[in-house]
Amino acid sequence: MTRRLVLTSESARHPFRQSLPPPAVAPARRSDDEDWKLFALSFAAFFTCFYSFIF
């Protein structure tokens, strides 16, 4: 048997795969400003919860 187990060209020829739209482009990476805002919000939420359990 000389046939390979997986042929990449056969998957593209399937009628269902041909009917699908092309894959979506990945969204751009978020800016560093949003990362800092998320960090500050998470820190404030943790501090508030921790402080409320102590007192």
Side-chain angles (χ1 to χ4, degrees), residues 37-51:
K37 288 178 183 177
L38 180 61
F39 172 75
L41 180 65
S42 301
F43 182 81
F46 174 76
F47 181 78
T48 304
C49 291
F50 188 74
Y51 189 75

Side-chain angles (χ1 to χ4, degrees), residues 9-26:
S9 61
E10 282 186 5
S11 66
R13 293 183 193 163
H14 194 277
F16 179 72
R17 300 267 319 244
Q18 288 177 349
S19 68
L20 292 174
V25 178

Side-chain angles (χ1 to χ4, degrees), residues 1 5-6 12 15-17 22-24 27-31 33 35-37 40-41 47-49 53-54:
M1 188 177 216
L5 292 176
V6 177
F16 179 72
R17 300 267 319 244
R29 189 182 178 280
R30 296 182 306 175
S31 66
D33 186 37
D35 292 337
W36 281 109
K37 288 178 183 177
L41 180 65
F47 181 78
T48 304
C49 291
F53 283 125
I54 291 179

